[in-house]
Amino acid sequence: MSLRTRWAGVLAGALSAVLFAVALLATTPPAKAAETSSTIIVYDAANAGGNHATFQAATPSLSGTNFNDRISSVFIVAGSWELCADNNYKGKCVTLTQGLHNLDANLNNLVSSLRPSTGKQGAALLFLDKDGAGKSLRVTAEVRKLADFPGFNSAISSIAIFQGNWEFCRKNDFKGQCVVLGPGVYNLTDFDNVIDSVRPK
Protein backbone atom coordinates (compact mmCIF):
# COMPACT_ATOMS: atom_id res chain seq x y z
CA MET A 1 0.00 0.00 0.00
CA SER A 2 1.41 3.37 -0.99
CA LEU A 3 2.02 6.08 1.59
CA ARG A 4 -0.49 8.31 -0.19
CA THR A 5 -3.19 5.59 -0.11
CA ARG A 6 -2.46 4.86 3.54
CA TRP A 7 -2.80 8.45 4.65
CA ALA A 8 -5.87 9.03 2.51
CA GLY A 9 -7.53 6.57 4.87
CA VAL A 10 -6.26 7.89 8.17
CA LEU A 11 -6.61 11.62 7.46
CA ALA A 12 -10.36 11.26 7.42
CA GLY A 13 -11.90 14.07 9.47
CA ALA A 14 -13.68 16.89 7.64
CA LEU A 15 -13.67 20.59 8.49
CA SER A 16 -17.21 21.29 9.63
CA ALA A 17 -17.45 24.83 8.24
CA VAL A 18 -16.22 23.81 4.80
CA LEU A 19 -18.51 20.79 4.66
CA PHE A 20 -21.41 23.05 5.50
CA ALA A 21 -20.40 25.27 2.59
CA VAL A 22 -20.10 22.29 0.26
CA ALA A 23 -23.62 21.24 1.21
CA LEU A 24 -24.82 24.62 -0.03
CA LEU A 25 -23.59 23.72 -3.51
CA ALA A 26 -26.60 21.48 -3.84
CA THR A 27 -28.78 24.60 -3.96
CA THR A 28 -26.93 25.99 -7.03
CA PRO A 29 -28.34 24.74 -10.36
CA PRO A 30 -25.60 22.59 -11.96
CA ALA A 31 -26.05 24.07 -15.44
CA LYS A 32 -25.71 27.62 -14.18
CA ALA A 33 -22.68 26.79 -12.05
CA ALA A 34 -20.97 25.36 -15.13
CA GLU A 35 -21.39 28.55 -17.16
CA THR A 36 -18.34 30.22 -15.63
CA SER A 37 -15.19 29.42 -13.72
CA SER A 38 -15.93 32.12 -11.10
CA THR A 39 -19.01 32.02 -8.89
CA ILE A 40 -19.76 33.67 -5.54
CA ILE A 41 -22.88 33.50 -3.36
CA VAL A 42 -23.37 36.45 -0.99
CA TYR A 43 -25.50 36.45 2.17
CA ASP A 44 -26.88 39.22 4.37
CA ALA A 45 -26.24 37.23 7.57
CA ALA A 46 -23.26 35.37 9.00
CA ASN A 47 -22.60 31.68 8.30
CA ALA A 48 -24.43 31.70 4.95
CA GLY A 49 -27.66 32.83 6.58
CA GLY A 50 -30.47 35.12 5.50
CA ASN A 51 -31.12 36.26 1.94
CA HIS A 52 -28.62 35.38 -0.76
CA ALA A 53 -27.67 36.16 -4.35
CA THR A 54 -25.27 34.62 -6.85
CA PHE A 55 -22.73 36.59 -8.91
CA GLN A 56 -20.63 35.24 -11.78
CA ALA A 57 -19.20 38.45 -13.24
CA ALA A 58 -17.55 41.67 -12.10
CA THR A 59 -20.03 44.04 -10.44
CA PRO A 60 -18.60 47.57 -10.07
CA SER A 61 -21.62 48.72 -8.03
CA LEU A 62 -24.05 46.76 -5.89
CA SER A 63 -26.39 49.74 -5.65
CA GLY A 64 -28.80 48.14 -8.11
CA THR A 65 -29.13 45.04 -5.94
CA ASN A 66 -30.45 44.35 -2.46
CA PHE A 67 -26.92 43.69 -1.18
CA ASN A 68 -25.14 47.04 -1.24
CA ASP A 69 -23.57 47.46 2.22
CA ARG A 70 -25.49 44.38 3.38
CA ILE A 71 -23.14 41.41 2.84
CA SER A 72 -22.06 39.56 6.01
CA SER A 73 -20.82 36.24 4.62
CA VAL A 74 -19.93 34.72 1.25
CA PHE A 75 -19.52 31.26 -0.22
CA ILE A 76 -17.07 31.15 -3.13
CA VAL A 77 -18.01 28.21 -5.33
CA ALA A 78 -15.27 28.67 -7.90
CA GLY A 79 -12.32 30.96 -8.46
CA SER A 80 -11.20 33.71 -6.11
CA TRP A 81 -13.00 37.04 -5.60
CA GLU A 82 -12.12 40.57 -4.59
CA LEU A 83 -14.64 42.42 -2.40
CA CYS A 84 -14.35 46.18 -1.88
CA ALA A 85 -15.99 48.74 0.38
CA ASP A 86 -16.51 51.35 -2.37
CA ASN A 87 -17.82 51.31 -5.93
CA ASN A 88 -15.42 50.49 -8.77
CA TYR A 89 -13.25 48.30 -6.51
CA LYS A 90 -11.93 51.14 -4.38
CA GLY A 91 -11.59 51.60 -0.63
CA LYS A 92 -10.78 48.65 1.63
CA CYS A 93 -10.66 45.38 -0.31
CA VAL A 94 -10.07 41.71 0.43
CA THR A 95 -9.41 38.76 -1.88
CA LEU A 96 -10.94 35.43 -0.84
CA THR A 97 -10.55 31.94 -2.26
CA GLN A 98 -12.99 29.01 -2.41
CA GLY A 99 -14.98 28.25 0.71
CA LEU A 100 -17.28 29.88 3.25
CA HIS A 101 -16.16 33.19 4.77
CA ASN A 102 -17.67 35.47 7.41
CA LEU A 103 -16.58 39.05 6.72
CA ASP A 104 -14.66 40.81 9.47
CA ALA A 105 -15.31 44.30 10.83
CA ASN A 106 -13.43 45.90 7.93
CA LEU A 107 -16.03 44.78 5.38
CA ASN A 108 -19.06 43.39 7.23
CA ASN A 109 -22.10 45.22 5.81
CA LEU A 110 -19.75 47.50 3.85
CA VAL A 111 -19.16 45.76 0.49
CA SER A 112 -20.19 47.89 -2.52
CA SER A 113 -18.38 46.14 -5.40
CA LEU A 114 -17.00 42.70 -6.17
CA ARG A 115 -15.20 40.93 -9.01
CA PRO A 116 -13.34 37.73 -9.87
CA SER A 117 -9.67 37.94 -8.96
CA THR A 118 -7.00 37.26 -11.55
CA GLY A 119 -4.54 36.09 -8.89
CA LYS A 120 -3.44 32.52 -8.34
CA GLN A 121 -6.26 30.32 -7.10
CA GLY A 122 -4.28 27.29 -5.96
CA ALA A 123 -3.83 27.40 -2.22
CA ALA A 124 -3.66 25.34 0.94
CA LEU A 125 -5.05 26.61 4.23
CA LEU A 126 -3.22 25.40 7.33
CA PHE A 127 -4.99 25.56 10.70
CA LEU A 128 -3.54 25.27 14.19
CA ASP A 129 -6.59 23.45 15.54
CA LYS A 130 -8.91 20.67 14.42
CA ASP A 131 -11.95 21.36 12.22
CA GLY A 132 -10.44 24.48 10.67
CA ALA A 133 -10.33 26.31 13.97
CA GLY A 134 -7.71 28.59 15.44
CA LYS A 135 -5.17 30.73 13.64
CA SER A 136 -4.68 29.92 9.95
CA LEU A 137 -1.98 30.34 7.31
CA ARG A 138 -2.70 30.49 3.55
CA VAL A 139 0.12 29.21 1.35
CA THR A 140 0.28 29.48 -2.46
CA ALA A 141 3.91 28.42 -3.00
CA GLU A 142 6.49 26.19 -1.33
CA VAL A 143 7.43 26.89 2.27
CA ARG A 144 10.76 25.26 3.08
CA LYS A 145 10.55 26.15 6.78
CA LEU A 146 7.29 26.80 8.58
CA ALA A 147 9.51 28.17 11.33
CA ASP A 148 9.61 31.33 9.19
CA PHE A 149 5.95 31.82 10.21
CA PRO A 150 5.87 32.15 14.02
CA GLY A 151 3.54 29.69 15.68
CA PHE A 152 3.08 27.34 12.71
CA ASN A 153 6.17 25.11 12.88
CA SER A 154 5.14 21.60 14.00
CA ALA A 155 1.74 23.00 14.95
CA ILE A 156 -0.69 22.20 12.09
CA SER A 157 -3.75 20.13 13.04
CA SER A 158 -6.09 20.52 10.05
CA ILE A 159 -5.80 21.43 6.37
CA ALA A 160 -8.04 22.55 3.49
CA ILE A 161 -6.87 22.19 -0.13
CA PHE A 162 -8.95 23.73 -2.90
CA GLN A 163 -6.81 23.07 -5.98
CA GLY A 164 -3.89 20.87 -6.98
CA ASN A 165 -1.84 18.40 -4.94
CA TRP A 166 0.27 19.47 -1.95
CA GLU A 167 3.10 17.71 -0.14
CA PHE A 168 3.49 18.02 3.64
CA CYS A 169 6.72 16.92 5.31
CA ARG A 170 7.84 16.36 8.90
CA LYS A 171 11.18 18.17 8.45
CA ASN A 172 12.47 21.35 6.81
CA ASP A 173 13.29 21.35 3.09
CA PHE A 174 10.75 18.58 2.38
CA LYS A 175 12.75 15.92 4.19
CA GLY A 176 11.64 13.18 6.53
CA GLN A 177 8.31 11.43 6.15
CA CYS A 178 5.95 13.22 3.74
CA VAL A 179 2.39 12.84 2.54
CA VAL A 180 0.76 14.16 -0.66
CA LEU A 181 -2.87 15.28 -0.44
CA GLY A 182 -5.26 16.44 -3.14
CA PRO A 183 -8.27 18.77 -2.95
CA GLY A 184 -10.24 18.15 0.21
CA VAL A 185 -10.44 18.90 3.90
CA TYR A 186 -8.53 16.98 6.56
CA ASN A 187 -8.11 16.65 10.31
CA LEU A 188 -4.59 15.31 10.78
CA THR A 189 -3.81 12.21 12.85
CA ASP A 190 -0.26 10.85 12.53
CA PHE A 191 0.82 14.14 10.93
CA ASP A 192 -0.77 16.23 13.66
CA ASN A 193 1.61 18.87 15.05
CA VAL A 194 4.65 17.58 13.10
CA ILE A 195 4.58 19.37 9.70
CA ASP A 196 7.62 21.61 9.09
CA SER A 197 7.55 22.19 5.28
CA VAL A 198 4.91 22.44 2.55
CA ARG A 199 4.93 22.63 -1.25
CA PRO A 200 2.64 22.14 -4.29
CA LYS A 201 3.27 18.96 -6.28
Side-chain angles (χ1 to χ4, degrees), residues 106-199:
N106 289 321
L107 284 175
N108 185 36
N109 290 326
L110 293 173
V111 174
S112 293
S113 58
L114 51 85
R115 62 182 172 182
S117 171
T118 57
K120 292 180 65 176
Q121 298 173 10
L125 296 177
L126 315 179
F127 300 91
L128 294 185
D129 300 325
K130 300 289 187 181
D131 299 318
K135 190 175 180 181
S136 65
L137 174 67
R138 179 176 181 266
V139 294
T140 58
E142 68 175 33
V143 178
R144 305 185 73 87
K145 295 189 302 179
L146 277 172
D148 291 336
F149 299 87
F152 285 92
N153 190 54
S154 295
I156 306 303
S157 290
S158 57
I159 297 170
I161 302 172
F162 294 112
Q163 185 179 40
N165 294 320
W166 287 76
E167 183 178 39
F168 303 89
C169 298
R170 288 174 175 261
K171 296 184 179 181
N172 294 338
D173 298 316
F174 321 112
K175 296 178 180 179
Q177 191 176 21
C178 299
V179 61
V180 175
L181 300 173
V185 290
Y186 307 88
N187 276 327
L188 302 179
T189 54
D190 289 350
F191 271 71
D192 186 24
N193 292 324
V194 297
I195 294 172
D196 287 349
S197 56
V198 180
R199 64 180 170 183

Side-chain angles (χ1 to χ4, degrees), residues 55-128:
F55 294 86
Q56 296 179 313
T59 305
S61 176
L62 290 169
S63 60
T65 73
N66 292 325
F67 288 89
N68 188 50
D69 293 338
R70 292 187 59 195
I71 298 174
S72 289
S73 61
V74 301
F75 175 43
I76 299 178
V77 180
S80 56
W81 285 75
E82 182 182 31
L83 289 73
C84 297
D86 297 336
N87 291 338
N88 298 311
Y89 320 111
K90 297 180 180 179
K92 293 180 180 179
C93 298
V94 64
T95 299
L96 302 173
T97 56
Q98 287 173 293
L100 176 65
H101 307 271
N102 287 323
L103 301 185
D104 63 21
N106 289 321
L107 284 175
N108 185 36
N109 290 326
L110 293 173
V111 174
S112 293
S113 58
L114 51 85
R115 62 182 172 182
S117 171
T118 57
K120 292 180 65 176
Q121 298 173 10
L125 296 177
L126 315 179
F127 300 91
L128 294 185

